[in-house]
Amino acid sequence: MDAIEVIRAKRDGRELTPAQIDWVIDAYTRGEVADEQMSALAMAILLNGMDRREIAAWTQAMIRSGERMDWSMLDRPTADKHSTGGVGDKITLPLAPLVAACGAYVPQLSGRGLGHTGGTLDKLESIPGWRASLSNDEMLHVLRSAGAVVCAAGSGLAPADKKLYALRDVTGTVESIPLIASSIMSKKIAEGTGSLVLDVKVGSGAFMKTPETARELAETMVALGTDAGVRTVALLTAMDRPLGRAVGNALEVEEAVEVLAGGGPADVVELTVRLAEEMLAAAGISAAKEPAKALRDGSAMDAWRRMITAQGGDPDALLPRAAETMTVEAPSAGVLARLDAYAVGLAAWRLGAGRARKEDPVSFGAGVTLHAKPGDLVRAGQPLLTLHADETSRFERALEALEGGYAVGPATEDGLPLIMDRITAP
Ligand code: URA
């Protein structure tokens, strides 16, 4: 087989055979198919799509490019959650220990942020001492002692995806539903979880801007998981405004700890509890303990403390704070009519909370605190947002990002419901 034949087939809109897909993924991983050839193929896939059989074969080939983890030695079912990424989306932080406290094991391999969406590992790394890189044995140890582990995927897991994702990032081929779905699901299936709940975000702050594209991505991923024997469901959830009141690494850890202490913003609590219920149902656990109760009685907090400690972190340590702050005030009295997720995410990124290239460091203390959410009454001059940065020079560009991103008016503009839909296998 040769790469040009495979590229021509997809360029001309033909279906790739399983043999062609297996060969091209394997040869690309080994360096036999060149980056420029894979770029051409990725662009042909972006333009001409792949059908369900091709996407399944592509995903399986990426899984076979590396190791597949196995948790069958554990005495309880495993469940995981994957979010397609949003602004202020710290849900994994309270969710993983919460589900552990309710009786499932949560083995989560997670990523770092790129662009305006934050990454779970960056958030957890703001906790002094906490370590993202674990060996498989260490993962098992943390799982057994805390019930949940959140760590970086090692280089042995879906190496074809690692190479291809970096290539897509610089060739304008990220935004292809078959390529996004196979990328996410190859890693989640290889991670070895028995069940999976997908949180597919919709809106300005998400990958998928419309409910239609989000539904197509969710249906594709649910089918891939189900076909691979992983019990998979998806929720479509709102990302037209930020989640919660904190955007930025350490700021989001603080908010997650508030949720684990039984408080926290209503939207973060509602989504955390709903996702926990979905994960427990998918894992076949008719909750020994209800998630809402585990937040109230401290058992989720106990699991969080064990999980952070087992990965070298100090759950009592003071978190990093940015050196400088600036307040954005309400321009007039009224209702906060709109607060756009993308504008706030971009502002947080420009303040230093995110990175432009994957090797860049992040500022743990940087970000945005929201003092009002859409629908709240505000007075003229009342603080709406606090910007946090290590250098005052970052404020100007963050303020530019926020221009037009919020409005105070007589009434709230239409927003998306927090939980919009639930997708299961047909
Ligand atoms: N996240 C992934 O892991 N892969 C994609 O293609 C997009 C988001």
Side-chain angles (χ1 to χ4, degrees), residues 323-326 347 349-352 387-400:
E324 310 289 344
T325 59
M326 178 182 192
W349 183 56
R350 290 182 176 176
L351 290 166
L387 313 185
H388 306 252
D390 294 329
E391 308 96 27
T392 51
S393 57
R394 289 186 176 266
F395 290 139
E396 193 181 332
R397 298 263 296 140
L399 290 172
E400 278 169 26

Side-chain angles (χ1 to χ4, degrees), residues 264-321:
D267 56 350
V268 179
V269 175
E270 182 184 342
L271 191 54
T272 304
V273 168
R274 174 64 188 272
L275 286 165
E277 289 165 353
E278 293 284 354
M279 285 168 73
L280 293 164
I285 296 177
S286 47
K289 181 175 272 183
E290 283 172 24
K293 184 158 182 293
L295 286 179
R296 283 196 304 272
D297 72 9
S299 51
M301 178 70 97
D302 291 344
W304 160 263
R305 295 177 64 82
R306 285 197 301 273
M307 179 177 102
I308 296 303
T309 309
Q311 286 179 241
D314 176 357
D316 297 314
L318 279 181
L319 295 173
R321 288 231 156 242

Side-chain angles (χ1 to χ4, degrees), residues 236-275:
L236 301 193
T237 71
M239 190 33 70
D240 53 342
R241 58 200 176 269
L243 250 179
R245 291 176 173 270
V247 179
N249 301 301
L251 296 169
E252 294 191 40
V253 172
E254 274 170 16
E255 189 168 278
V257 171
E258 280 171 31
V259 172
L260 288 159
D267 56 350
V268 179
V269 175
E270 182 184 342
L271 191 54
T272 304
V273 168
R274 174 64 188 272
L275 286 165

Side-chain angles (χ1 to χ4, degrees), residues 82-84 161 165 168 174 176 179-185 187 207:
H82 177 84
S83 158
T84 55
D161 176 65
Y165 189 72
R168 288 166 56 213
V174 169
S176 148
L179 292 178
I180 295 174
S182 55
S183 167
I184 292 172
M185 293 306 291
K187 288 172 285 199
F207 252 122

Side-chain angles (χ1 to χ4, degrees), residues 86-91 201 238-239 241-248 251-252 255-256 258-259 264-272 336 339 341 344 368-374 376 384-385 418:
V87 176
D89 184 1
K90 72 282 294 171
I91 300 288
K201 301 281 183 208
M239 190 33 70
R241 58 200 176 269
L243 250 179
R245 291 176 173 270
V247 179
L251 296 169
E252 294 191 40
E255 189 168 278
E258 280 171 31
V259 172
D267 56 350
V268 179
V269 175
E270 182 184 342
L271 191 54
T272 304
L336 181 59
L339 182 59
V344 175
V368 180
T369 315
L370 321 184
H371 302 294
K373 297 272 283 179
D376 288 352
L384 277 186
L385 307 168
L418 179 62

